[in-house]
Amino acid sequence: QVELEESGGGPVQAGASLRLSCTPVGRSFASFGMGWFRRTPGGEREFVAAVNWSGRTTYYADFVKGRFTISRNNAENTIYLQMNSLKPEDTAVYYCAHGSRLIYSGDKLMTEEEYEFWGRGTQVTVSS
């Protein structure tokens, strides 16, 4: 079992920025893809962004392209989601996810089925 610790959420005004962080406890994630998903109020969990094991391949949902950036620092065992130009519709609980396949870089990183472990989530609230 892998525990994922997320941090960085909070309340902000529209147009502001936040950076979310995620660290797996007790395990290196260096050989696995990692992702961020979110659940909006009253909605289902949806894909936000993913990064492959090396950090060279990234995927984004259309609604965050140009505003959010996912990155990873394998030496620090941490992934980040830099969120800029936040909108009220970005209000959600954001979840970090740990991939299930070693050294996988394909577009299935945009699907929940590709992930084995999930964090508890961090709340992001954007007010207008």
Side-chain angles (χ1 to χ4, degrees):
Q1 186 70 20
V2 176
E3 290 188 15
L4 301 174
E5 292 187 346
E6 301 128 327
S7 62
V12 294
Q13 296 282 335
S17 298
L18 281 175
R19 188 176 78 159
L20 306 183
S21 302
C22 172
T23 300
V25 177
R27 175 174 175 172
S28 169
F29 65 17
S31 298
F32 294 88
M34 298 290 292
W36 288 97
F37 289 73
R38 72 185 188 185
R39 189 189 302 275
T40 57
E44 297 187 354
R45 192 160 59 187
E46 60 185 0
F47 169 74
V48 176
V51 59
N52 81 321
W53 64 277
S54 69
R56 294 192 184 99
T57 303
T58 56
Y59 298 94
Y60 294 96
D62 287 343
F63 54 78
V64 303
K65 282 181 181 176
R67 300 190 298 126
F68 291 11
T69 302
I70 188 170
S71 61
R72 65 190 298 157
N73 185 324
N74 285 347
E76 295 181 355
N77 212 31
T78 302
I79 68 162
Y80 302 97
L81 183 68
Q82 177 67 43
M83 305 187 295
N84 298 329
S85 302
L86 283 162
K87 304 175 181 179
E89 51 264 43
D90 293 319
T91 295
V93 177
Y94 285 74
Y95 299 91
C96 175
H98 185 295
S100 61
R101 285 196 273 178
L102 279 170
I103 314 180
Y104 175 71
S105 300
D107 60 7
K108 286 186 170 57
L109 285 170
M110 294 188 286
T111 66
E112 291 192 26
E113 291 72 25
E114 190 58 32
Y115 296 91
E116 184 173 8
F117 304 108
W118 296 82
R120 295 185 177 184
T122 184
Q123 176 71 47
V124 172
T125 302
V126 185
S127 57
S128 57

